[in-house]
């Protein structure tokens, strides 16, 4: 229900003895998450920020159209009195006392887990991204607590690009394994569906790691087709084929496609309506 609160909970329960870096997209932009990342030991974060929407931070919207890298402090308060005395402060509409028993489970409020007034320090990095297809220049802004000496401006672009593997994994989970629609109405059954698809995703990836593509003089490197591999693994567990794992791996190795680095396509933005339950069952 609340991805930001879930991210805070995951960071608080993550017990690592060495320093780590968490990469997050624009949906996790919040001062509460910034401060949690600053105060947790061994925690470094890189969070992408909104730049042009109405919900963007006003200091971020006012950044110049050029690459920049500097430290910034945001004065945060949840007191209406402090906001009246200091209009430049950022006010979090998070009440000090929440009567959660009166709220619906789907009701969400802003979260602020620290003092009534707190300066939040973070490093702001603005990067230039050129779109070769449209010929336009785009800007991305990142908030982080990484040191500029260890991760200069030139390294931040490559660092945030590592998060793209998550997007490709979600694409396989949603469309190749059918997690884009649930077949159940009750939340408990939907949770069972989601866990089963996650298990299937891990099983298919583990089996793909055992496959080998024959070496050949090709222009592009090749990789196993995930969707075909998922279909073969599904047939392996639902037919008498089970027990002959060698045959399954040989059949998966026959389906592969080239990997062309640097190829980009514009994202088709279109409205996606709901799918009726009867259609999903049939």
């Amino acid at each position: 229900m609340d991805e930001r609160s879930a991210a805070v909970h995951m960071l608080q329960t993550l017990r690592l003895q060495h320093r780590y870096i968490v990469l997050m997209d624009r949906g996790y932009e919040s001062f509460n998450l910034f401060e949690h990342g600053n105060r947790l030991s061994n925690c470094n974060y890189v969070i992408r920020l909104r730049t042009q929407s109405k919900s963007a931070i006003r200091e971020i919207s006012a950044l110049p159209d050029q690459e920049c890298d500097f430290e910034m402090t945001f004065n945060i308060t949840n007191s209406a009195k402090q906001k009246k005395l200091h209009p430049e402060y950022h006010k979090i509409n998070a009440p000090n006392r929440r009567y959660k028993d009166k709220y619906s489970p789907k009701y969400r409020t802003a979260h602020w887990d620290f003092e009534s007034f707190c300066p939040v320090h973070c490093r702001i990095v603005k990067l230039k991204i050129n779109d070769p297809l449209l010929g336009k220049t785009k800007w991305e802004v990142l908030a982080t607590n990484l040191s500029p000496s260890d991760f200069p401006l030139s390294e931040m672009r490559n660092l945030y690009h590592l998060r793209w593997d998550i997007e490709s994994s979600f694409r396989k989970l949603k469309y190749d394994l059918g997690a884009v629609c649930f077949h159940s109405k009750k939340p408990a059954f939907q949770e069972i569906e989601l866990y089963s698809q996650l298990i299937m995703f891990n099983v298919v990836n583990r089996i793909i790691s055992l496959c080998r593509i024959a070496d050949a003089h090709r222009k592009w490197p090749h990789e196993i087709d995930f969707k075909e591999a998922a279909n073969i693994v599904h047939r392996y567990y639902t037919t008498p084929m089970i027990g002959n794992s060698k045959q399954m791996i040989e059949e998966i190795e026959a389906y592969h496609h080239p990997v062309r680095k640097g190829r980009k396509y514009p994202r088709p933005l279109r409205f996606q309506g709901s799918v009726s339950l009867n259609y999903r069952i049939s």
Side-chain angles (χ1 to χ4, degrees), residues 14 28 73 89 110 143-144 149 157-158 162 168 173 192 200 219 222 247 258 277:
L14 188 61
Y28 295 92
T73 300
Y89 286 6
T144 181
S149 59
R157 182 183 291 103
N158 297 330
L162 297 176
S168 59
L173 181 65
I192 293 175
M200 187 64 173
K219 181 179 179 180
H222 282 227
Q247 179 184 352
L277 186 63

Side-chain angles (χ1 to χ4, degrees), residues 157-200:
R157 182 183 291 103
N158 297 330
L159 178 62
Y160 183 75
H161 184 69
L162 297 176
R163 204 195 62 83
W164 185 250
D165 291 339
I166 301 176
E167 297 292 342
S168 59
S169 299
F170 280 147
R171 178 179 58 82
K172 296 176 182 177
L173 181 65
K174 290 172 61 177
Y175 301 107
D176 295 346
L177 295 180
V180 67
C181 293
F182 293 108
H183 298 77
S184 306
K185 289 185 176 180
K186 295 185 178 180
F189 293 158
Q190 293 176 356
E191 186 176 354
I192 293 175
E193 282 191 53
L194 184 58
Y195 275 114
S196 62
Q197 288 157 350
L198 289 172
I199 293 173
M200 187 64 173

Side-chain angles (χ1 to χ4, degrees), residues 182-226:
F182 293 108
H183 298 77
S184 306
K185 289 185 176 180
K186 295 185 178 180
F189 293 158
Q190 293 176 356
E191 186 176 354
I192 293 175
E193 282 191 53
L194 184 58
Y195 275 114
S196 62
Q197 288 157 350
L198 289 172
I199 293 173
M200 187 64 173
F201 177 81
N202 292 331
V203 170
V204 174
N205 277 309
R206 186 60 183 269
I207 294 176
I208 288 177
S209 66
L210 301 176
C211 299
R212 298 293 181 267
I213 301 176
D215 295 332
H217 298 287
R218 300 187 178 98
K219 181 179 179 180
W220 305 101
H222 282 227
E223 68 178 7
I224 299 295
D225 189 278
F226 182 87

Side-chain angles (χ1 to χ4, degrees), residues 9 30 34 36 41 48 84 129 134 148 165 167 175 195 207 227 235 239 242 261 268 282:
H9 176 71
S30 69
F34 294 168
H36 273 285
S41 60
R48 184 181 173 189
K84 187 176 181 180
I129 300 177
L134 301 179
D165 291 339
E167 297 292 342
Y175 301 107
Y195 275 114
I207 294 176
K227 186 174 183 179
R235 188 171 72 252
T239 61
I242 190 169
K261 297 294 184 180
S282 61

Side-chain angles (χ1 to χ4, degrees), residues 25 43 45 56 64 72 102 111 121 126 133-134 147 160 173 181 189 198 218 222 233 239 275:
D25 203 0
C43 178
Y45 60 86
M72 185 176 290
K102 296 183 180 180
H111 294 280
H121 307 280
K126 188 168 186 178
L133 295 178
L134 301 179
S147 172
Y160 183 75
L173 181 65
C181 293
F189 293 158
L198 289 172
R218 300 187 178 98
H222 282 227
V233 173
T239 61
V275 181

Side-chain angles (χ1 to χ4, degrees), residues 46-104:
V46 178
I47 303 177
R48 184 181 173 189
L49 305 181
R50 298 180 178 91
T51 57
Q52 297 179 351
S53 62
K54 295 182 179 179
S55 58
I57 303 173
R58 59 175 179 265
E59 289 88 350
I60 304 303
S61 301
L63 290 175
D65 290 339
Q66 62 182 14
E67 292 191 344
C68 52
D69 185 358
F70 52 85
E71 300 290 334
M72 185 176 290
T73 300
F74 305 96
N75 294 318
I76 310 301
T77 182
N78 61 351
S79 171
K81 181 178 179 180
Q82 290 289 337
K83 176 63 177 178
K84 187 176 181 180
L85 295 175
H86 305 279
E88 70 278 6
Y89 286 6
H90 292 269
K91 184 178 183 300
I92 304 297
N93 295 321
N96 294 327
R97 293 179 297 174
R98 300 175 184 171
Y99 301 95
K100 295 184 178 180
D101 54 340
K102 296 183 180 180
Y103 292 158
S104 167

